Amino acid sequence: MRKRWLTLFAITGILLFAEYILANNIQFHPSYRTMVIFFAIQAFVLFRIDRLVPEQWKVQASLVKIVIRLLSSMIFILVLIYSQPDKFNLVVQFIILYLIYMIFEIVEALTNLRRN
């Protein structure tokens, strides 16, 4: 369980540090930090939901978490698109971050499904 939190903080830290290091070479959108923080908070909330669910509902809860992630991300990007300039760069970076955090969630779910 502790490994999950450390991995989440490591991914978030690496993504924020990458902006600092690669700012001269890659054009990051002004909302990049906001998106990274949104996904970190979203993962945190989904982890808390996972802890509150009874053991017999774990499979259904994992599907609900995927739907919650998708819907909240769609609402977030909709708000950003209507309030930010440079929409193409925003959407591309949003999709990349979404996939990074989704892969992280899938890997964490797979480790919970393995037999010991």
Side-chain angles (χ1 to χ4, degrees), residues 3 7 9 31 46 52 55 60 67 81 90-91 100 116:
K3 179 186 167 207
T7 308
F9 290 129
S31 296
L46 293 175
L52 297 174
E55 193 64 36
Q60 291 86 351
V67 171
I81 284 176
L90 172 74
V91 171
I100 289 171
N116 294 331

Side-chain angles (χ1 to χ4, degrees), residues 80-93:
L80 284 180
I81 284 176
Y82 282 115
S83 65
Q84 298 291 324
D86 191 17
K87 292 171 182 24
F88 179 75
N89 199 6
L90 172 74
V91 171
V92 168
Q93 290 178 18

